Amino acid sequence: MKVGIIGIGKMGRPMALRLAVEGHEVIAYDAAPGAAAGLEGVSEGALADVAACPAIITMLPNGGIVRSVANQIAPMMAEGSVLIDMSSSYPFETLDLRKALPDAIRLIDAPVSGGVWRAEIGTLTIIAGGDAADLDLVTPMLEAMGKVTRTGALGSGHAMKLLNNYLSAAGLAAACEAVTVGKAFGLDPDVMADVFNGSTGKNNATEVKLKQHVNSEAYGTGFSMGLMAKDLALGARLTGDLGLEADGLMAMKDLFAKGVEAFGGDADHTEIAKLLK
């Protein structure tokens, strides 16, 4: 399939490469010229070149930028083209984007989970919302980057991604707090990680973040504090827009906002451990 991808950053680069490795013709665009340099099988083009592709992926920092780019390329897209937003965007903004686009353009939300290392090996979790027929068209292409799970109507993928990141943040914060208390008592933090992973406290943070990034102080998962804080803020916004209260989600939003204040948005999200100490 001929695929355009807009946004060649930490995640966009390995995703574009996986598409090329699996035999798709990939044309990439990024605001920073040369972002696709060194990606074998990926050609760099202008927005118009990308817009001419039957399937176009956006992998951008937020939904506002996605909306701006979509407004630019929509007049250049052919009837029946599929725009696939794989960014972490706000679900109600995704629904508003659908209303703003011409009816002849298909829209899918398909954010991802798994981080840079899983993007590199093509094992991302792809959380896809949209019309079933539209998803049928692009699922074989998406499977070059990982496993596709359909969540329902348009916007449901973005909602699911925000809630997943809330659970991820809460698990990380709880694990880091537990290690901090345990170290104060004299427990070995690596032994603690082993016990957690053999017990009911096991979660993603205990399995792939405690020893590897927190205890070692490597802090190098590739997912930034700023992006986690952004997703948590969107999750809190979604909760409010639905007329609900979620104390745990609000607590994580506030905690990671403090992390951004303390260490900057570019800090790795696992550096929240330093704040919890």
Side-chain angles (χ1 to χ4, degrees), residues 137-209:
L137 284 175
V138 297
T139 291
M141 177 270 290
L142 293 175
E143 288 175 339
M145 297 176 285
K147 180 181 179 182
V148 178
T149 298
R150 301 188 184 191
T151 51
L154 183 70
S156 63
H158 283 145
M160 186 70 245
K161 173 64 187 294
L162 298 180
L163 296 173
N164 174 78
N165 276 14
Y166 159 49
L167 291 183
S168 176
L172 174 62
C176 291
E177 278 191 327
V179 166
T180 297
V181 174
K183 286 177 69 176
F185 187 77
L187 291 170
D188 183 312
D190 284 347
V191 171
M192 293 181 70
D194 290 337
V195 172
F196 293 150
N197 288 330
S199 305
T200 56
K202 179 173 68 174
N203 60 44
N204 177 263
T206 66
E207 289 186 308
V208 301
K209 296 176 185 176

Side-chain angles (χ1 to χ4, degrees), residues 9-276:
K10 287 182 179 178
M11 291 294 290
R13 277 186 68 85
M15 289 166 64
L17 184 57
R18 289 307 311 174
L19 287 166
V21 166
E22 294 298 322
H24 299 284
E25 181 183 350
V26 183
I27 301 176
Y29 172 83
D30 193 274
L39 293 178
E40 186 175 352
V42 178
S43 60
E44 197 160 3
L47 270 180
D49 300 317
V50 173
C53 297
I56 302 165
I57 291 169
T58 52
M59 194 62 183
L60 297 166
N62 58 60
I65 298 174
V66 171
R67 177 68 177 266
S68 175
V69 169
N71 288 340
Q72 293 178 66
I73 65 173
M76 299 181 279
M77 293 174 64
E79 184 175 336
S81 298
V82 186
L83 180 60
I84 309 163
D85 183 17
M86 302 189 78
S87 321
S88 292
S89 300
Y90 189 59
F92 284 123
E93 289 180 349
T94 302
L95 297 178
D96 288 340
L97 176 59
R98 170 64 278 170
K99 296 174 185 176
L101 288 174
D103 291 341
I105 294 175
R106 307 168 191 264
L107 179 63
I108 290 169
D109 58 317
V112 301
S113 182
V116 173
W117 70 276
R118 283 180 57 187
E120 291 173 343
I121 60 176
T123 61
L124 290 170
T125 295
I126 300 173
I127 310 161
D131 183 82
D134 296 344
L135 287 167
D136 288 342
L137 284 175
V138 297
T139 291
M141 177 270 290
L142 293 175
E143 288 175 339
M145 297 176 285
K147 180 181 179 182
V148 178
T149 298
R150 301 188 184 191
T151 51
L154 183 70
S156 63
H158 283 145
M160 186 70 245
K161 173 64 187 294
L162 298 180
L163 296 173
N164 174 78
N165 276 14
Y166 159 49
L167 291 183
S168 176
L172 174 62
C176 291
E177 278 191 327
V179 166
T180 297
V181 174
K183 286 177 69 176
F185 187 77
L187 291 170
D188 183 312
D190 284 347
V191 171
M192 293 181 70
D194 290 337
V195 172
F196 293 150
N197 288 330
S199 305
T200 56
K202 179 173 68 174
N203 60 44
N204 177 263
T206 66
E207 289 186 308
V208 301
K209 296 176 185 176
L210 275 188
K211 284 187 176 182
Q212 300 90 330
H213 299 284
V214 175
N215 298 350
S216 66
E217 299 183 350
Y219 306 123
T221 66
F223 186 63
S224 72
M225 187 84 71
L227 286 177
M228 180 63 88
K230 183 263 293 185
D231 286 354
L232 291 167
L234 290 179
R237 178 182 169 189
L238 177 63
T239 301
D241 285 347
L242 293 171
L244 304 174
E245 295 182 4
D247 292 343
L249 178 48
M250 293 300 292
M252 288 302 105
K253 176 186 75 72
D254 293 343
L255 176 63
F256 279 83
K258 290 178 182 176
V260 171
E261 290 178 8
F263 309 118
D266 291 335
D268 196 84
H269 77 293
T270 55
E271 292 185 60
I272 200 68
K274 296 192 291 186
L275 186 68
L276 291 167

